[in-house]
Amino acid sequence: MRVAIVGCGQIAGSHLAALRKVDGAEVVAVCDRDAQRARHTAELAQARAYTDLDALLRAERPDAVHIVTPPASHAPLAIRAIEAGCHVLVEKPMALSTADADRMIAAARAHGVKLCTNHNYRFKPSIRRATELVARGEIGQVLFVNSYYGLSDEGADFDGGGGGHWAQRLPGGVFTNFLPHLLYLQLSFLPGVDSVAGVALGRGREPDAPPTELTVLLQGPQAAGSMTFSTLAKPYAKFVEIYGTTGLIHADLVREVCVVHRHRRIPRLLSKALFSLEASTQLATGIAANTAGVATGRMRNMPELPIIFRHFYDSIRTDGAPPAPGEEGRAVVALMEQIWARLPAPPSPAAAPSVVSAPLPRTAVERRVVEGGGLPGKILVTGASGYLGRHLVAALGRCGADVVALVRDGSRAPRELERHARVVEGDLSAPASLESAIRGCSLVFHCAAVTRNNAPWSEHYETNVRGSKALFERALAAGVRRIVHVSSIIVYGLDQRRGGAVVDETAPYAEPRDSSAFYLRSKLESDRLALDMHRKDGLPVTVIRPGIIFGPGGGRAIGRGLLQLGRLRLTIGSGRNVLPFTYIDNLVDALLLAATSSAAIGQAYNIVDQSGPTAPSVRDCALLASELEGEPISLVPVPAAALTGAALLLELRQRRAGSDVPPRLSRFVVRSAVCDLRYSSARARRDLGWEPAVSVREGLSRTVGAAPEPPPTSAKTPGSIVEPVSTVVASPSRPAPPAAPQMVEAL
């Protein structure tokens, strides 16, 4: 079977891993509108990369196509594959409306191909065991089914970022992405479902915040069911409880253990003791079996995926029914439509005013910019959907600027961007889109970059080096008056020895000896390129070199360590070293000042909050963050030398496997965590008048949610007009959720 995967997001990796365990299935091509993601996934799959599905279908002629894109695109992509004669497996939910689901089913019937929805939880070990018990009548007639799905800490991935995750754009927000699991499990155990009897919402933060909790009551002809989904409740849990006339079943989808309690005619006192004994015995047996499976390699992450895939491909070979046919997927979509119909209707996009007032400045620097006449002309921000890009665009909006936000994929653009900028799709590696975005701009903030070290060198080079060069060249050709390039203090390396003196901008570039330090190498090359082009070609560039950027909604918490075991947190090294933290608002202030200072052209500036003797250590920051979160911890240092040895072994294993992607724990990561370099921001203070308005302690307090962001100032700012441009991504109607309190730990 020649297989193609359409959509190269996170779940594509799970499909690739599972397909390797399906005999006769060969992934020949992958497709994604983002060329970089497509190339990266193609390297993992050893397949060919495409950005256009029709071109893939013509050239590769696959037998089957896996659709693993966001749900809004499921129907059109699946139908195009079906009309090309391909069997289709589509991620849940199969569509966002029953009308689209019906079109998909009709197309599959007309072209004689199989259509399967990836209802993978039905094939989890715990659910398969529960299904067998119910089918054998072990608990009698099913009376009620209760199911629960809690995201716990994973909820921040969907809740933060100004609504940037595509799940926030679904009809029911994040709920739509996960509720299908609970719905098809309900349909697996209930004799039937007639209607949605009730919907309740909960808000775990503030009363006017978007909902974070959802509870649904289902009514069937003979039994009922309830489902609860939470983005905030802890600990992480997923389970299904099935209540019958002669027993009950608890299927734990996290630990993959199924516990059954049968009715026995014994005294109540003995029944209580037997209930506990049954649970403990079955739990112990199940955990032991699962542990053995993991140890021997028989049980991997998502063990159900290879099973449902095998059933799907068997149905193609034998012309049998697929494991989750389109009709089953449609039933889930129909129930979701009933659920959304009971939710409060979002405001109509048509009712939004065409002219909106810009929000007030929030920092002293923003107020200074406004009082100085603002930032005239059109401003381009690359990497606008990233953490820094989002905050910069918001600040520019508060300054009344005319902003163009360049993003690679408009469907993944944070909705908050659309309040302050015209969101335009484009890629640094695509000359046409880059020229269109930069045309007419007088100022460019270059924030786009690959910041995680464990990405292929080709990805680092294409964005951080080649993409930067393309941007600089087109900026020169377009007559841009100022470019502010966001670099990093990593360009000085991790090994400078200066007798306790701080590192300033006169320090030489690093000479990277670590072959896996992709981030260091690529940022160094782009930094050098920017200043070289200033000297040789007159590029009007200012280079900003921030430290470790942190703040609310940043991604990862300060001092997260290697591993958390209850109150014990394993850390890299002793944590007595000082790392160069830069709070997000302080960095945005520096960018604004660099854009408005004539002395800044051709200069580079370190932007670090604290680097003197009063700067807190890594250990201090970790303990303070845990204190502010109300979760006391004990830090357990792991020697850096031991971790360096382990990292080297992991790197060697990656190379033997033919991969150029450094492991998450690499020697570069270890050295970054234990280095003790201090950096001077004196030049930024002198030339730009920059001062870190937010201390590390105050920034930590805001990051973990203990202190609110400061209110806007009372300065008046000019209004901004929202123009209906063809390249602008339309603003969704639902409000964006609050940003999750987290940070980015990347030099």
Side-chain angles (χ1 to χ4, degrees):
M1 295 280 180
R2 295 171 54 81
V3 182
I5 294 180
V6 181
C8 296
Q10 184 177 0
I11 193 62
S14 299
H15 278 245
L16 283 175
L19 282 166
R20 293 188 186 104
K21 301 177 183 179
V22 178
D23 292 338
E26 178 192 3
V27 178
V28 296
V30 302
C31 182
D32 195 288
R33 59 188 296 176
D34 186 321
Q36 188 177 92
R37 275 201 302 264
R39 285 192 293 270
H40 176 52
T41 305
E43 288 177 11
L44 295 176
Q46 296 183 331
R48 286 167 289 281
Y50 291 83
T51 57
D52 179 75
L53 176 59
D54 293 328
L56 182 154
L57 295 172
R58 288 193 302 269
E60 302 293 343
R61 303 182 64 84
D63 299 300
V65 173
H66 289 219
I67 307 292
V68 295
T69 56
S73 61
H74 285 179
L77 293 175
I79 290 173
R80 283 158 66 185
I82 288 170
E83 290 175 344
C86 303
H87 305 282
V88 169
L89 184 141
V90 61
E91 270 294 335
K92 52 76 200 163
M94 70 177 292
L96 293 180
S97 70
T98 51
D100 279 347
D102 287 338
R103 290 172 53 225
M104 296 164 70
I105 294 170
R109 289 174 178 167
H111 290 82
V113 297
K114 306 295 180 185
L115 174 62
C116 179
T117 309
N118 190 27
H119 289 175
N120 54 299
Y121 281 15
R122 278 183 46 205
F123 296 87
K124 280 186 170 291
S126 56
I127 295 300
R128 287 160 57 203
R129 171 66 175 158
T131 303
E132 293 171 0
L133 292 169
V134 171
R136 293 206 307 259
E138 294 286 344
I139 62 170
Q141 179 184 342
V142 174
L143 302 173
F144 184 76
V145 178
N146 175 50
S147 50
Y148 173 82
Y149 197 129
L151 282 180
S152 187
D153 290 333
E154 293 183 6
D157 295 338
F158 300 89
D159 193 32
H165 196 280
W166 56 260
Q168 297 286 359
R169 298 175 177 270
L170 299 177
V174 170
F175 299 139
T176 303
N177 194 41
F178 297 94
L179 200 58
H181 288 307
L182 299 184
L183 283 167
Y184 66 68
L185 289 177
Q186 290 276 337
L187 294 173
S188 298
F189 294 109
L190 287 176
V193 175
D194 293 333
S195 63
V196 174
V199 177
L201 294 174
R203 290 170 172 82
R205 290 189 175 92
E206 297 83 18
D208 58 344
T212 60
E213 322 301 307
L214 173 69
T215 300
V216 179
L217 181 65
L218 301 176
Q219 181 61 61
Q222 300 174 330
S226 67
M227 305 179 298
T228 301
F229 176 83
S230 171
T231 65
L232 297 180
K234 298 178 181 179
Y236 181 59
K238 292 183 286 188
F239 60 80
V240 176
E241 296 171 324
I242 307 136
Y243 299 84
T245 53
T246 61
L248 63 91
I249 297 170
H250 179 95
D252 188 324
L253 283 77
V254 174
R255 294 153 195 86
E256 293 298 359
V257 175
C258 185
V259 174
V260 58
H261 297 283
R262 298 174 180 84
H263 173 65
R264 290 181 173 82
R265 297 185 179 277
I266 57 177
R268 182 174 297 178
L269 184 61
L270 292 177
S271 176
K272 292 179 180 179
L274 182 60
F275 194 95
S276 299
L277 183 61
E278 283 180 333
S280 59
T281 302
Q282 293 179 65
L283 280 171
T285 303
I287 291 172
N290 290 342
T291 301
V294 171
T296 59
R298 289 183 290 105
M299 179 176 283
R300 302 279 186 178
N301 185 40
M302 301 185 74
E304 73 281 1
L305 271 187
I307 298 173
I308 188 172
F309 289 178
R310 289 189 193 107
H311 286 319
F312 172 58
Y313 286 99
D314 285 345
S315 72
I316 296 173
R317 296 185 184 97
T318 63
D319 196 24
E327 290 75 12
E328 182 179 306
R330 185 195 187 281
V332 169
V333 175
L335 286 173
M336 283 202 302
E337 285 185 327
Q338 293 187 49
I339 294 170
W340 309 148
R342 288 179 170 269
L343 294 179
S348 170
S354 59
V355 179
V356 296
S357 296
L360 297 175
R362 187 161 57 80
T363 70
V365 169
E366 291 173 16
R367 186 167 61 251
R368 193 198 312 180
V369 170
V370 171
E371 292 171 350
L375 294 163
K378 191 165 64 172
I379 300 171
L380 175 67
V381 178
T382 70
S385 59
Y387 181 56
L388 173 58
R390 296 195 307 267
H391 283 77
L392 175 60
V393 168
L396 291 169
R398 291 191 293 268
C399 293
D402 178 12
V403 184
V404 176
L406 184 66
V407 300
R408 289 194 316 189
D409 188 344
S411 67
R412 292 177 167 90
R415 292 178 295 183
E416 184 69 15
L417 287 182
E418 296 153 4
R419 293 179 54 201
H420 307 289
R422 287 168 288 174
V423 180
V424 177
E425 287 189 352
D427 196 318
L428 296 180
S429 62
S433 65
L434 192 54
E435 288 176 3
S436 175
I438 208 170
R439 188 178 299 120
C441 290
S442 59
L443 172 62
V444 173
F445 289 95
H446 182 31
C447 303
V450 175
T451 58
R452 68 189 192 284
N453 194 65
N454 65 317
W457 169 246
S458 59
E459 193 171 318
H460 281 271
Y461 183 80
E462 182 179 331
T463 298
N464 296 0
V465 183
R466 184 181 173 194
S468 295
K469 183 179 181 182
L471 177 69
F472 297 156
E473 290 174 342
R474 280 158 182 78
L476 272 174
V480 170
R481 294 197 294 270
R482 180 72 62 88
I483 300 169
V484 181
H485 171 58
V486 181
S487 182
S488 167
I489 57 168
I490 194 63
V491 300
Y492 302 115
L494 304 172
D495 301 320
Q496 302 221 20
R497 296 290 182 265
R498 297 185 163 267
V502 295
V503 178
D504 63 18
E505 292 84 354
T506 64
Y509 285 122
E511 296 180 2
R513 298 184 300 273
D514 186 346
S515 60
S516 67
F518 290 171
Y519 179 65
L520 187 161
R521 290 167 53 195
S522 63
K523 293 302 284 186
L524 188 155
E525 288 192 35
S526 61
D527 188 298
R528 179 184 283 136
L529 174 68
L531 295 177
D532 283 349
M533 289 187 67
H534 167 71
R535 287 187 290 268
K536 297 176 182 177
D537 307 310
L539 183 72
V541 68
T542 300
V543 175
I544 298 295
R545 296 168 180 164
I548 300 173
I549 306 170
F550 76 104
R556 293 182 179 179
I558 280 182
R560 67 191 185 278
L562 287 169
L563 180 67
Q564 186 91 22
L565 300 171
R567 292 186 57 174
L568 301 179
R569 181 177 297 174
L570 305 185
T571 63
I572 301 177
S574 66
R576 302 294 182 186
N577 57 310
V578 173
L579 289 181
F581 295 121
T582 305
Y583 186 67
I584 183 65
D585 285 1
N586 296 337
L587 175 54
V588 170
D589 282 350
L591 293 173
L592 295 177
L593 291 170
T596 55
S597 170
S598 58
I601 294 179
Q603 299 296 322
Y605 296 98
N606 298 338
I607 303 297
V608 175
D609 292 346
Q610 290 176 266
S611 58
T614 61
S617 68
V618 175
R619 183 181 183 86
D620 294 336
C621 291
L623 292 173
L624 176 59
S626 67
E627 177 186 331
L628 293 170
E629 290 176 321
E631 297 181 359
I633 59 171
S634 296
L635 300 180
V636 180
V638 179
L643 291 172
T644 300
L648 177 59
L649 292 176
L650 292 173
E651 291 172 20
L652 292 173
R653 188 180 71 173
Q654 291 283 83
R655 290 172 193 162
R656 283 197 298 268
S659 172
D660 75 332
V661 180
R664 290 187 180 275
L665 181 67
S666 65
R667 288 171 293 168
F668 173 72
V669 169
V670 175
R671 290 165 57 218
S672 298
V674 299
C675 72
D676 195 18
L677 296 177
R678 298 170 189 253
Y679 302 83
S680 170
S681 299
R683 180 185 285 183
R685 287 177 164 89
R686 183 188 68 239
D687 291 1
L688 307 180
W690 175 81
E691 289 290 342
V694 181
S695 67
V696 173
R697 183 182 182 88
E698 174 65 16
L700 273 175
S701 184
R702 294 183 188 179
T703 298
V704 300
E709 292 286 347
T713 67
S714 58
K716 295 182 179 180
T717 57
S720 61
I721 300 177
V722 179
E723 301 177 16
V725 183
S726 60
T727 54
V728 176
V729 179
S731 175
S733 56
R734 287 187 174 269
Q742 297 184 344
M743 68 158 286
V744 169
E745 284 194 17
L747 287 177

